[in-house]
Amino acid sequence: MKSDAVTKGMQQAPHRSLFNALGLTREELDRPLVGIVSSYNEIVPGHMNLDKIVEAVKLGVAMGGGTPIVFPAIAVCDGIAMGHVGMKYSLVTRDLIADSTECMALAHQFDALVMVPNCDKNVPGLLMAAARINVPTVFVSGGPMLAGHVKGQKRSLSSMFEAVGAHAAGHMTEEDVQEFEEKVCPTCGSCSGMYTANSMNCLTEALGMGLKGNGTIPAVYSERIKLAKHAGMQVMELLRRNIRPQDIMTEKAFLNALTVDMALGCSTNSMLHLPAIAHEAGVELNMEIANEISARTPNLCHLAPAGPTYMEDLNEAGGVYAVMNELDKKKLLHTDLMTVTGKTVGENIAGCTNRSPEVIRPIDNPYSEIGGIAVLKGNLAPDTAVVKRSAVVPEMMVHEGPARVFDCEEDAIEAIKGGKIETGDVVVIRYEGPKGGPGMREMLNPTSAIAGMGLGSTVALITDGRFSGASRGASIGHVSPEAAVGGPIALVEEGDRIRIDIPANRLEVLVSDEEMAARKAGWQPRDPRVTTGYLARYAKMVTSGNRGAVLEK
């Protein structure tokens, strides 16, 4: 056992004296030490119930014969951080979470780990840590929020952001907005649509790192507590069998995750997180493979914001395993892979039937024959850009219009809400990438303002930043190379014609090569927006969006 280095032998007597100060007994020190990484805090709604999840995990570990010991991980609420300087501190926490968890786990020689995340960067950060530390590990999330109800309709956080845009356009009264404010987020949990948190918690199941229901059982259900107990018990079984994250997170497992991603219509942020997690697991995941997988993977789900169904509906329909079972009918998954259940993918999904064909379309009646995410290339994005195809209306799948260029999110929002954006425009927001932001802010405020003002079916948005999973419409992000390093998006001028062709996976600015070369020759890097602290260090080390915004080693 790794923990023998701190619990066994005469040389470890000083270590045992410190465990004695913690109140641990000899009997507890004779058992494996299991670290429980708790993301609990009192600022993130998706994390406010994690203290109860952690207590259930502790009980499960003890029932399985281990000694549970809790330590923390940080988490940012993307919704609260949205639209101001706070969003610069969202993506960057992914690496802080991975690094600090590595430090705690290896400094104290834990034999196994149970990760308890829930929201956005917290999930991929801990998956990165799990791959890096590589001791037996199980994930159990805090679960999704129930949908809100406003005027007889289910609603979620994306509805709230769009309500603000509708108010700016004069379509909603202040009283209407207040009703949304009070009702769209009715419980604890990760926000109720297929946003980034729920996308990553579902893909944790698809990767094989979480038990059945990890991504879909609502936070307020008692079943979630039972799941946490089983996670605690199961990590002890993995320890006995020496099944580790790198045994599970193989190249084929990431291909499974991408396939499930396409079927579910997950957040485009998964295109940042999956390659970053794979990188830690020693797997190089070229995102251009996403189009190959998309071409053969039907889109089976239209959860909010793409459609009117929510995570609670996906759970009732059979959850992630039911989606995987549908995919397996066309042999789209690698089913012989090991998972944290101690069984293979095929064994896990056998018999997991689709209980609601309205929520999970059958494989022979999909929303579309191709997947929910597309990777675009062209002279505006030579390295790639990403769009959530399943959330784009048909009339915007191919679009050409004049560029309306903004060098930061705030200027774009002011123009949108000021009525300066017109039907057919292509809004370009640049210098918001990993280096340029720094921190690659999410653009939920501008996309929601466009939708709320009734322009969602006529206006596109392109950025070297990224989008919340709550964004919908022709929202194209992760444009690489980014503006801060002189990518073509930095050279676009007001009024340039931009052509978007999502079916053909193309993104072009209709300017000659000669003119673009002349503009490039005159381009100068901008002074960094942040020169001190963590963000300044991050900006110097971070790679582009097409590489998952991982840090250079």
Side-chain angles (χ1 to χ4, degrees):
M1 289 290 175
K2 287 174 69 70
S3 62
D4 287 356
V6 293
T7 61
K8 303 291 192 298
M10 181 54 65
Q11 290 298 319
Q12 281 65 44
H15 305 73
R16 289 193 297 273
S17 72
L18 292 167
F19 283 117
N20 182 67
L22 290 169
L24 293 180
T25 65
R26 288 275 183 171
E27 292 82 359
E28 287 172 298
L29 295 182
D30 285 338
R31 296 179 171 191
L33 300 186
V34 179
I36 302 173
V37 187
S38 171
S39 303
Y40 170 77
N41 63 47
E42 294 183 341
I43 190 65
V44 184
H47 290 217
M48 63 179 284
N49 66 320
L50 295 190
D51 54 342
K52 295 176 177 59
I53 302 295
V54 166
E55 288 303 314
V57 172
K58 288 175 67 176
L59 184 57
V61 168
M63 290 168 68
T67 297
I69 300 175
V70 180
F71 65 88
I74 63 168
V76 165
C77 177
D78 277 23
I80 295 174
M82 193 71 65
H84 55 87
V85 68
M87 181 46 69
K88 294 179 186 288
Y89 287 91
S90 172
L91 179 62
V92 304
T93 64
R94 189 181 68 180
D95 294 278
L96 284 175
I97 291 162
D99 292 348
S100 60
T101 301
E102 173 195 357
C103 292
M104 289 294 289
L106 296 182
H108 302 103
Q109 293 292 285
F110 287 107
D111 298 303
L113 298 167
V114 180
M115 306 291 198
V116 188
N118 210 26
C119 291
D120 289 41
K121 308 322 147 310
N122 195 242
V123 183
L126 289 180
L127 282 165
M128 290 164 66
R132 195 185 297 176
I133 300 162
N134 202 34
V135 297
T137 303
V138 176
F139 276 67
V140 56
S141 77
M145 185 184 291
L146 294 179
H149 291 80
V150 182
K151 293 180 170 59
Q153 290 186 305
K154 284 186 176 181
R155 299 290 189 178
S156 62
L157 184 65
S158 55
S159 310
M160 183 72 256
F161 277 89
E162 290 178 16
V164 175
H167 178 264
H171 303 321
M172 265 194 185
T173 66
E174 188 172 343
E175 290 73 22
D176 290 332
V177 175
Q178 185 174 352
E179 183 178 5
F180 271 75
E181 184 180 328
E182 292 172 352
K183 294 181 177 178
V184 297
C185 296
T187 72
C188 63
S190 48
C191 297
S192 56
M194 187 53 80
Y195 310 147
T196 305
N198 292 325
S199 294
M200 294 311 302
N201 283 325
C202 287
L203 295 182
T204 297
E205 278 189 67
L207 272 174
M209 291 298 294
L211 302 179
K212 180 184 178 183
N214 176 72
T216 60
I217 298 170
V220 294
Y221 283 13
S222 298
E223 189 180 357
R224 174 67 54 180
I225 300 297
K226 293 165 64 177
L227 180 72
K229 292 175 183 175
H230 282 128
M233 289 185 268
Q234 186 58 29
V235 80
M236 299 308 299
E237 177 63 19
L238 296 184
L239 182 59
R240 281 187 280 273
R241 294 175 59 181
N242 195 29
I243 298 173
R244 299 168 181 251
Q246 290 188 24
D247 300 323
I248 295 168
M249 289 194 283
T250 62
E251 182 177 5
K252 289 181 178 179
F254 284 101
L255 298 181
N256 277 355
L258 276 170
T259 301
V260 174
D261 191 337
M262 296 299 170
L264 285 173
C266 289
S267 164
T268 51
N269 281 316
S270 63
M271 296 293 105
L272 283 174
H273 299 322
L274 287 175
I277 300 160
H279 182 71
E280 295 291 350
V283 175
E284 292 306 315
L285 198 62
N286 182 344
M287 278 297 95
E288 291 182 52
I289 199 174
N291 285 338
E292 295 177 31
I293 293 174
S294 179
R296 61 176 180 262
T297 306
N299 177 224
L300 305 182
C301 298
H302 267 191
L303 289 100
T309 53
Y310 295 82
M311 295 306 297
E312 62 202 65
D313 303 313
L314 179 59
N315 188 63
E316 293 303 315
V320 175
Y321 279 14
V323 174
M324 294 175 75
N325 198 28
E326 288 289 346
L327 293 171
D328 190 45
K329 291 176 183 178
K330 288 195 174 179
K331 306 301 179 186
L332 295 173
L333 297 173
H334 299 281
T335 56
D336 59 343
L337 309 181
M338 180 54 62
T339 71
V340 293
T341 67
K343 300 177 182 178
T344 65
V345 170
E347 290 172 316
N348 287 342
I349 66 177
C352 294
T353 57
N354 179 359
R355 297 194 292 265
S356 178
E358 294 78 28
V359 178
I360 305 172
R361 287 280 186 93
I363 195 76
D364 56 1
N365 182 34
Y367 282 101
S368 69
E369 293 291 344
I370 53 179
I373 291 178
V375 174
L376 312 183
K377 292 189 77 172
N379 70 344
L380 189 50
D383 288 343
T384 60
V386 178
V387 63
K388 186 171 182 175
R389 174 170 32 205
S390 59
V392 179
V393 294
E395 54 265 40
M396 288 298 289
M397 297 296 281
V398 176
H399 179 76
E400 182 181 315
R404 305 299 308 280
V405 182
F406 304 94
D407 287 346
C408 67
E409 177 188 7
E410 289 82 359
D411 290 350
I413 293 171
E414 183 179 351
I416 296 165
K417 291 186 176 179
K420 296 178 182 178
I421 302 302
E422 300 176 357
T423 293
D425 285 348
V426 179
V427 176
V428 177
I429 305 177
R430 61 193 181 188
Y431 294 100
E432 290 285 8
K435 285 184 180 293
M440 204 178 188
R441 287 195 287 182
E442 287 183 343
M443 301 292 159
L444 180 56
N445 275 357
T447 60
S448 298
I450 289 169
M453 297 186 76
L455 297 171
S457 60
T458 60
V459 170
L461 195 155
I462 297 172
T463 182
D464 53 7
R466 61 196 179 92
F467 294 107
S468 165
S471 291
R472 61 186 176 97
S475 303
I476 299 167
H478 309 189
V479 171
S480 301
E482 63 174 290
V485 297
I489 192 172
L491 311 178
V492 176
E493 295 182 358
E494 185 81 7
D496 285 349
R497 303 290 293 182
I498 291 178
R499 181 169 175 79
I500 300 162
D501 190 338
I502 295 172
N505 302 312
R506 299 298 295 172
L507 180 62
E508 306 278 353
V509 55
L510 304 182
V511 174
S512 70
D513 292 345
E514 293 78 12
E515 172 62 18
M516 291 296 280
R519 293 180 187 180
K520 176 71 173 178
W523 177 82
Q524 292 292 326
R526 293 180 171 236
D527 291 335
R529 286 172 169 159
V530 179
T531 57
T532 60
Y534 179 60
L535 282 182
R537 296 200 306 275
Y538 181 88
K540 289 178 181 178
M541 299 172 67
V542 70
T543 61
S544 62
N546 70 304
R547 292 179 58 190
V550 298
L551 300 184
E552 294 281 11
K553 290 189 176 180

